[in-house]
Each structure stands twice: as structure tokens, then as C-alpha cells.
Coordinates of all heavy atoms in Angstrom, one line a residue:
G12 N -6.8 4.7 -0.9 CA -5.5 4.6 -1.3 C -5.0 3.4 -2.0 O -5.6 2.4 -1.9
A13 N -3.9 3.4 -2.7 CA -3.5 2.4 -3.5 C -2.9 1.2 -2.7 O -3.1 0.0 -3.1 CB -2.4 2.8 -4.6
D14 N -2.3 1.6 -1.6 CA -1.6 0.5 -0.8 C -2.4 0.2 0.5 O -2.5 1.1 1.4 CB -0.3 1.0 -0.5 CG 0.6 -0.1 0.3 OD1 0.0 -1.2 0.6 OD2 1.9 0.2 0.5
P15 N -2.9 -1.0 0.6 CA -3.7 -1.3 1.9 C -2.9 -1.3 3.1 O -3.4 -1.1 4.2 CB -4.2 -2.7 1.6 CG -3.4 -3.3 0.5 CD -3.0 -2.1 -0.3
N16 N -1.6 -1.3 3.0 CA -0.8 -1.3 4.2 C -0.7 0.2 4.8 O -0.2 0.3 5.9 CB 0.7 -1.7 3.9 CG 0.8 -3.2 3.5 OD1 0.1 -4.0 4.1 ND2 1.7 -3.6 2.5
D17 N -1.2 1.1 4.0 CA -1.2 2.5 4.5 C -2.5 2.9 5.2 O -2.6 4.0 5.7 CB -0.9 3.5 3.4 CG 0.4 3.4 2.8 OD1 1.3 3.1 3.6 OD2 0.6 3.7 1.6
F18 N -3.4 1.9 5.3 CA -4.7 2.2 5.8 C -4.6 2.7 7.2 O -5.2 3.7 7.7 CB -5.6 0.9 5.9 CG -6.9 1.1 6.8 CD1 -7.9 1.8 6.3 CD2 -6.9 0.5 8.1 CE1 -9.1 2.0 7.1 CE2 -8.1 0.7 8.8 CZ -9.1 1.4 8.4
H19 N -3.7 2.1 8.1 CA -3.6 2.4 9.5 C -3.2 4.0 9.6 O -3.5 4.7 10.6 CB -2.7 1.6 10.3 CG -1.1 1.7 9.9 ND1 -0.2 2.5 10.7 CD2 -0.4 1.3 8.8 CE1 0.9 2.5 10.1 NE2 0.9 1.8 9.0
V20 N -2.4 4.4 8.6 CA -1.9 5.8 8.7 C -3.1 6.8 8.5 O -3.4 7.7 9.2 CB -0.8 6.1 7.7 CG1 -0.5 7.6 7.7 CG2 0.4 5.2 8.0
H21 N -3.9 6.4 7.5 CA -5.1 7.3 7.1 C -6.1 7.2 8.2 O -6.6 8.2 8.7 CB -5.7 6.6 5.8 CG -7.1 7.0 5.5 ND1 -7.5 8.3 5.1 CD2 -8.3 6.4 5.8 CE1 -8.7 8.3 4.9 NE2 -9.3 7.2 5.4
A22 N -6.4 6.1 8.8 CA -7.4 5.9 9.9 C -6.9 6.6 11.1 O -7.7 7.3 11.8 CB -7.6 4.5 10.3
A23 N -5.7 6.6 11.4 CA -5.2 7.3 12.6 C -5.1 8.8 12.4 O -5.4 9.6 13.5 CB -3.7 6.9 13.0
A24 N -4.8 9.3 11.2 CA -4.9 10.7 10.8 C -6.4 11.3 11.1 O -6.5 12.3 11.6 CB -4.4 11.0 9.4
L25 N -7.3 10.4 10.7 CA -8.8 10.8 10.9 C -9.0 10.8 12.4 O -9.7 11.8 12.8 CB -9.8 9.8 10.2 CG -9.6 9.9 8.7 CD1 -10.6 8.8 8.1 CD2 -10.1 11.3 8.1
S26 N -8.6 9.8 13.1 CA -8.9 9.7 14.5 C -8.3 10.9 15.3 O -8.9 11.3 16.2 CB -8.4 8.4 15.1 OG -8.7 8.3 16.5
S27 N -7.2 11.3 14.8 CA -6.4 12.4 15.6 C -7.1 13.7 15.2 O -6.6 14.8 15.7 CB -4.9 12.4 15.2 OG -4.8 12.7 13.9
E28 N -8.0 13.8 14.2 CA -8.6 15.0 13.8 C -7.5 16.0 13.2 O -7.6 17.1 13.3 CB -9.5 15.8 14.9 CG -10.5 14.9 15.4 CD -11.4 15.6 16.4 OE1 -10.8 16.7 17.0 OE2 -12.6 15.3 16.7
A29 N -6.7 15.3 12.4 CA -5.5 16.0 11.8 C -6.0 16.9 10.8 O -6.9 16.7 9.9 CB -4.5 15.0 11.2
D30 N -5.4 18.1 10.7 CA -5.6 19.0 9.6 C -4.6 18.7 8.4 O -5.0 18.9 7.3 CB -5.2 20.5 10.0 CG -6.2 20.9 11.2 OD1 -7.3 21.1 11.0 OD2 -5.6 21.1 12.2
M31 N -3.5 18.1 8.8 CA -2.4 17.7 7.7 C -1.9 16.4 8.0 O -1.8 15.9 9.2 CB -1.4 18.7 7.8 CG -1.7 20.1 7.5 SD -0.3 21.2 7.7 CE -1.1 22.8 7.3
L32 N -1.6 15.7 7.0 CA -0.9 14.3 7.1 C 0.5 14.6 6.4 O 0.6 15.0 5.3 CB -1.6 13.2 6.3 CG -0.8 11.9 6.1 CD1 -0.4 11.4 7.4 CD2 -1.6 11.0 5.3
L33 N 1.6 14.5 7.2 CA 3.0 14.6 6.7 C 3.6 13.3 6.3 O 3.7 12.4 7.1 CB 3.8 15.4 7.8 CG 5.1 15.8 7.4 CD1 4.9 16.9 6.3 CD2 5.8 16.5 8.5
T34 N 3.8 13.1 5.0 CA 4.2 11.8 4.5 C 5.0 12.0 3.2 O 4.8 13.0 2.4 CB 3.0 10.9 4.2 OG1 3.5 9.6 3.7 CG2 2.0 11.5 3.2
C35 N 5.9 11.0 2.9 CA 6.6 11.1 1.6 C 5.9 10.0 0.7 O 6.4 9.8 -0.5 CB 8.1 10.6 1.8 SG 9.0 11.7 2.7
D36 N 5.0 9.2 1.2 CA 4.3 8.1 0.5 C 3.5 8.7 -0.7 O 2.5 9.5 -0.4 CB 3.4 7.2 1.4 CG 2.9 6.0 0.8 OD1 2.0 6.2 0.0 OD2 3.5 4.9 1.1
T37 N 3.7 8.3 -1.9 CA 3.0 8.8 -3.0 C 1.4 8.3 -3.0 O 0.6 9.1 -3.5 CB 3.6 8.3 -4.4 OG1 3.7 7.0 -4.4 CG2 5.0 9.0 -4.6
G38 N 1.3 7.2 -2.5 CA -0.1 6.7 -2.5 C -1.0 7.6 -1.5 O -2.1 7.9 -1.8
L39 N -0.4 8.0 -0.4 CA -1.1 8.8 0.6 C -1.2 10.2 0.1 O -2.2 10.9 0.4 CB -0.4 8.8 2.0 CG -0.6 7.5 2.8 CD1 0.4 7.4 3.9 CD2 -2.1 7.3 3.2
L40 N -0.3 10.6 -0.7 CA -0.2 12.1 -1.2 C -1.2 12.2 -2.3 O -1.6 13.3 -2.6 CB 1.1 12.4 -1.7 CG 2.2 12.6 -0.6 CD1 3.6 12.7 -1.2 CD2 1.9 13.9 0.2
N41 N -1.6 11.1 -3.0 CA -2.4 11.2 -4.2 C -3.6 10.3 -4.1 O -4.0 9.6 -5.0 CB -1.6 10.7 -5.5 CG -0.5 11.7 -5.7 OD1 -0.6 12.9 -6.1 ND2 0.7 11.3 -5.3

């Protein structure tokens, strides 16, 4: 992702075995 500050969201989504990540952040969406 473009913003390193969003790493914790991505990593936690993986850890939770999420099917979906719900966010308004364009970096995480793209």
C-alpha cells in the first residue's frame, strides 16, 4: 500500500483471516 501508516490495518486483516476489509482509505482500497 501507498501509506506505511496503514500497515497495521492490512496485517491485522490478514491475522483475523478476514474475507473483507471495510475502509474509506483509498490506499487500502487500491
Side-chain angles (χ1 to χ4, degrees):
D14 186 354
N16 291 324
D17 292 329
F18 169 78
H19 72 98
V20 177
H21 163 75
L25 293 177
S26 179
S27 68
E28 299 182 343
D30 302 292
M31 302 177 180
L32 167 61
L33 191 59
T34 182
C35 301
D36 188 282
T37 55
L39 289 167
L40 289 167
N41 298 286

